[in-house]
Amino acid sequence: MVNAQATTAEPKSVGAQPTTRFTGNGKVLQVGPLKPSLAQTLSADYDALLLPVDESRPAFLAAHGDSVTAVVTSGRTGVDAALMADLPNLGAIVHFGVGYDTTDVEAATEKGVGVSNTPDVLTDCVADTALGLLIDTLRGFSAADRYVRAGRWPREGNVPLTRKVSGSRVGIIGLGRIGTAIADRLTGFGCDIAYHNRREIPGSQYRYAASATELASSVDILVIAASGGKGTQQLVDRSVLEALGPQGFLINVARGSVVDEVALTELLRSGGLAGAGLDVFADEPNVPTELFDLDNVVLLPHVGSGTTATRAAMEALTLQNLDEFLATGTLTTAVVQPKAVKS
Ligand code: 8YV
């Protein structure tokens, strides 16, 4: 039995291969698709169960629900309160990924179930993606590439001129780890950076805006780097997008849920916004088809952390959390520490 205060732990270093393997009576359950090598390790080394997605799920949970002490999942799937109720001995929900908005953390906290994620190891890649997307969107590189490939250059001449990135005014919604890494990179481009968080960060070198609308109205580019979930649901609504205006660009590398996607699509089509670079969508992998023929929009299939090195580091940190939980009842990079080890 391990007691631990609910806390947001600072991540420890990653790198060492997990040395502990589960030997207790409880079972590990994989919920939702995971990186194939991680799923393979869970099955081979941890004898993990896989939650069915078809009609056999209720019978599976009736047969195995009691035995599950740890779940491994990702932000894509997560664990809701109903699934938690079917896993009465659950002690920890271990996420592959920094985002855990699909898991009901409130319900987990009430039940003493720990929750972990994989912060820090993906910060650089997601920030790099934000920069690449921002430059591509303003300079129209993807559209220009399509133009060349379609053989239009010799026939139609030069592509239209685009917007300058260096020295532009950028507003960041969510100046956390990733938002700060984006701001630091943009500083190298001579950009003027402002941000909006729920609270001002004491001592921050960047200008604070008390609301998303205030931020949007004072910048050329709005970058979303905030976590998803109830607290940020459609934080960037129609009025924020209208404040960004016909000369403004939106970049989103966080979660589609943070933006009113219907308003975004309408404004992009009508000229109410200059353009958007989107790595995330409200209903992935479905992307509003109305965006497909717009050259002022760059669409990526949620690739922010998608490099070999970063995904390997995320996998190692996921297993480090699982190993630590199974060995000691605590989590390495906890969003919430487990209250007690269930067995
Ligand atoms: C991953 C992400 O694509 O970490 C996150 O929250 O959104 C991405 O890094 C995702 O976790 C993989 O499922």
Side-chain angles (χ1 to χ4, degrees):
M1 182 77 83
V2 175
N3 290 315
Q5 293 281 59
T7 177
T8 304
E10 278 305 305
K12 295 175 188 167
S13 62
V14 193
Q17 283 302 306
T19 50
T20 316
R21 286 289 183 259
F22 175 61
T23 53
N25 295 320
K27 295 292 284 184
V28 174
L29 175 67
Q30 177 184 338
V31 174
L34 290 172
K35 184 172 184 274
S37 57
L38 176 57
Q40 166 64 24
T41 300
L42 291 176
S43 162
D45 294 3
Y46 296 80
D47 195 24
L49 301 166
L50 176 62
L51 183 67
V53 287
D54 59 15
E55 67 284 353
S56 67
R57 180 173 154 143
F60 172 91
L61 286 168
H64 303 288
D66 279 357
S67 66
V68 173
T69 56
V71 159
V72 181
T73 186
S74 79
R76 231 171 111 182
T77 316
V79 180
D80 61 17
L83 178 54
M84 262 177 248
D86 286 331
L87 306 172
N89 293 307
L90 185 63
I93 302 166
V94 175
H95 291 88
F96 172 85
V98 71
Y100 47 85
D101 46 303
T102 48
T103 284
D104 190 334
V105 177
E106 221 170 280
T109 307
E110 262 169 39
K111 290 174 184 291
V113 174
V115 177
S116 69
N117 65 346
T118 61
D120 289 319
V121 292
L122 46 62
T123 298
D124 279 340
C125 276
V126 179
D128 293 349
T129 300
L131 264 286
L133 198 48
L134 188 157
I135 295 171
D136 190 349
T137 306
L138 270 79
R139 296 297 310 276
F141 290 149
S142 286
D145 176 89
R146 288 192 293 274
Y147 187 84
V148 171
R149 287 169 197 259
R152 293 176 63 188
W153 192 11
R155 287 199 312 265
E156 298 175 47
N158 292 336
V159 292
L161 300 180
T162 57
R163 278 281 286 275
K164 182 176 175 183
V165 172
S166 290
S168 53
R169 298 170 301 166
V170 182
I172 299 179
I173 301 227
L175 198 70
R177 295 177 175 93
I178 293 170
T180 300
I182 294 169
D184 293 347
R185 281 160 172 73
L186 286 168
T187 302
F189 284 77
C191 291
D192 176 50
I193 313 287
Y195 73 99
H196 170 67
N197 273 11
R198 257 173 307 174
R199 277 176 290 279
E200 186 168 1
I201 300 169
S204 172
Q205 60 182 303
Y206 303 120
R207 178 174 63 81
Y208 179 68
S211 72
T213 311
E214 185 190 318
L215 182 66
S217 62
S218 65
V219 296
D220 306 303
I221 307 158
L222 191 64
V223 179
I224 303 178
S227 335
K230 275 192 235 162
T232 57
Q233 183 75 26
Q234 300 211 353
L235 174 64
V236 177
D237 60 12
R238 184 179 290 273
S239 63
V240 174
L241 295 170
E242 283 172 353
L244 189 56
Q247 298 303 315
F249 290 85
L250 181 80
I251 306 297
N252 191 0
V253 291
R255 285 290 182 266
S257 60
V258 184
V259 188
D260 178 345
E261 198 168 84
V262 172
L264 174 65
T265 304
E266 279 171 20
L267 289 166
L268 284 166
R269 288 206 70 84
S270 68
L273 274 179
L278 308 171
D279 185 41
V280 289
F281 301 89
D283 179 31
E284 294 174 9
N286 302 306
V287 174
T289 51
E290 297 91 333
L291 297 176
F292 286 5
D293 63 346
L294 297 182
D295 272 344
N296 57 340
V297 177
V298 179
L299 305 169
L300 297 180
H302 200 148
V303 295
S305 67
T307 62
T308 311
T310 288
R311 289 285 168 85
M314 289 162 67
E315 180 172 349
L317 187 51
T318 302
L319 291 173
Q320 192 178 339
N321 272 284
L322 181 60
D323 283 335
E324 181 172 323
F325 172 72
L326 296 174
T328 70
T330 60
L331 292 161
T332 317
T333 46
V335 176
V336 181
Q337 284 288 8
K339 277 258 167 58
V341 178
K342 311 278 176 62
S343 60

